[in-house]
Structures are given as structure tokens and as C-alpha cells.
Amino acid sequence: MKTLMIAAMQSGAGKTVTTCALLAALKKRGLRLQAFKCGPDYIDPMFHERVLGVPSRNLDLFLQGEDGVKRTLSRAGADFALIEGAMGYYDGLNNTDEASAFALARLTKTPAVLVVPPKGSGLTLAAQIHGLADFRPGSGITALILANCTEKRAASLAPVLEKETGLPVPGFLPPMDEARFESRHLGLMTAAEIGDLEERLEKLGDTAERFIDIDRLVGLAGSWETDYGCKRAGQPARVRIAAARDEAFCFTYADNLDALREAGAEPVFFSPLHDTALPEADGLYLPGGYPELHARALSENTSMRLSIADAIARGIPTVAECGGFLYLQEMLEDMSGQAYPMCGVLPGRGYKTTRLQRFGYLKLRAEEDSLLFRAGEAIPAHEFHYWDSTENGAALLAEKADGRIWRCGYASPTLYAVFPHLHFDGETPLAQRFVKACETWKASMK
């Protein structure tokens, strides 16, 4: 399988737009494609999926470890894998290159193409790129694509960059209305919220075909052997897990769902916004998303709130992350600060803040056995939210690489409810533990 990474010197350079444009152009060539996102991002993969029609997957060295990343990459079953980087190329854990796009490119031997918006720079831009390419031995930086750059500017700048950096410039993307995706507090608007997205993505692909030498880019790609011994073993589902999926709860790793399936569960999707009650199930999965944008509608769906509260009171094994955690509490504020009743399973009020709270990678340490954790374990996780809670819980100890620690979350033999997100395809058998608890509960209900 051919592999290529789209990276940048900083966030906001146009990685997602360029990745989607190239995916759309490559799709027209009949290639079997798979998109990936470096790091824990949920929103960018939604755009990849809208281009290809298949789930994009995350490659996260912190959450999954090296073996987990290799497994995910090897399962692609594609001719060509395009990986979108995260933040700046070398930006990783605690101001190091650990778990960065560079570290991922190095591990997977994937050449990186830098997306470079020239803005007001000329020769200085060449100096920055030269420094970036030489910053680490074997940086993997292979080529440049100019972003948000006019044809005239590209014609004059590309030869200079090629001469001064030694890197080819296979093309550029001009300023385009189709490339302007609106953002909000956690990043881009989700793909489902953009009504004309298909038309815009098609236009991006046509533009990439016109202004980028796609064949030249394909020729720069590396390769990855897909014989890592990690094909998922299919087995009949022994339990059903009700998994929330709608406009309010849309932050779910594709690998988490597959890990549950591999462990013997059938995810049964439902909408806390639109359905009236939980489907018949033996477990409950409430992922993150944007419940704050839908607080009133979630609150007014009283029958669903009561259904969830009743199921949890009866002991159904439940995983609730971030937005799902807020949904289980007593009250949740919307964007205007108006508070609405939620499920009331946990104490607390979710409230709006003005900045990201406890943002980034961390490890959750368990002092006692619970649904997902065992005493003494330290599980990698990721936190990313503007809303906070008056009652964050204290069952687990969170620790960041810079030494900050705090207590958080609710954990019991049947519950994981906390802000941090988990990846189920890392080194700890989280999915297997969840499914085992669901089997035990199912048996007790007979």
C-alpha cells in the first residue's frame, strides 16, 4: 500500500482542505483509498469520510502505541493511504516531537508533503522550510504544495522554493470559496452541518487535478506492508451495545467500534435527540460531541432521558466520555448560558467557559478495579472541551506530562463517566472488558 502524509508548519495552514482535495482527485482514478488522521482529532476524519464514503481512521502514537498504530494502518486494505498530519509537523507531547506527525511519518516510513500558505513571505519562507526539513535527521519532508496561493504567485514562488530548499513543488491550490469551512469552539463545523459539502468537495478535487501534478505526488509516496498479522477476527456478536450517534454525539473513533465488534459486541446506533427510548441492548456507549449545542432538544426528549436513567439504575454497563459525561449530569448550559435538565444520573452542572479546559494528552491512573480499568493501571487518554462541570468526580487520577495532576471521573464495576476520551485499540483491552461486563449483565437479567 502506498502512503503519503499531508503536513504543515502550523495549524490552520490548509491540511484538511488539501487532504480532501487530493482524496477527491485520487478517487477519480479508481484507486482503493483509505484516509487517516494523525492524533486524536474527531472532526477532520468526518470530512475524509464524506469524500471516500468509508470511515477515516486515527493514527495516534500516544493513545495506541506503536503496535496499535501499525495494526490500524495495516488493516486498511487499500492501494493508497493519505494521512493528514496534526498541528505543526514536529509538535508533539509537552513541546517534544513525541506522538507528533513527524514521529508518525518516521515510524511508518511515510514521506511528508508540506502544505505551505505563502501569505506575505518569499525567500524567508524558503529559509523556514529549509530549517524545518533539516531540523531532524531524516525528517521525511519530500515536497511542498502551496495553499491559498494565486496562479501568478505560484509561478514566481515555486521555482525559488525548489532552488533554495531542494524540494519539489508539484502544484498549488488557489484561493477558493469552497475551501472556506466555518469553525467553532472545537474546530471546524462538522461535515454533516455543511449542506453543500459534496459539491464543494467535488470542486476541490477538480481544482487539485488542474493545479497539482497528482502523478508526481503519487510517485513520491512510500509503501507499507499490510502483513502485520492483525486482521480482525470475525465472531458472532454475543451482546448488543447501544451507541449514541447523532448531531449531539458524533465523536467516535472508527477503531473503537471495530474493537467492540472484534470483542463480540454489535453496536446498535440510536439518537438521544430523535429517538424516544434506548434500543434493546446489554451496554451503553455515550461518546463525545456537541451536546451543548443541542441542550434544549436533549432536555425536551424526556422519554429518552428517563430511559437512559432507568437503564443505568438497573446496572447496564455504561461508557460516557466528555459530551456523554455531561449528558448524564443534572444540568447542562447551552451556548447562551441557559441551563437545561439532563439525565440526572450523576451530580453536577455542565457550564460554558471561555477556553479549552485541561486540553491535551494525559494518563488516567486507577486505584481500584472498575468497568474499564484495573488497579494500578495508567491508561493514555485525551481531553478536549470548552464546557466544564461543577462536579468532575474523583475516581481516577489524571496526570499530564508536565506534572500537573488532578482527580476526575466516576468509575464503578458498571460505569466509566469522565471528560477524557479513550482509544479502544491501544495496549489495554478496554473493549474486551466492556464487552465482558455486558455479558455478565445480560446473564444477570435472565
Side-chain angles (χ1 to χ4, degrees), residues 288-306:
Y290 286 113
E292 63 272 19
L293 300 182
H294 306 276
R296 179 175 177 177
L298 288 168
S299 183
E300 289 178 348
N301 193 351
T302 306
S303 62
M304 176 59 77
R305 291 193 290 114
L306 292 176

Side-chain angles (χ1 to χ4, degrees), residues 98-116:
E98 182 182 347
S100 64
F102 161 70
L104 178 62
R106 180 177 55 188
L107 174 70
T108 61
K109 297 180 174 59
T110 299
V113 177
L114 281 186
V115 176
V116 181

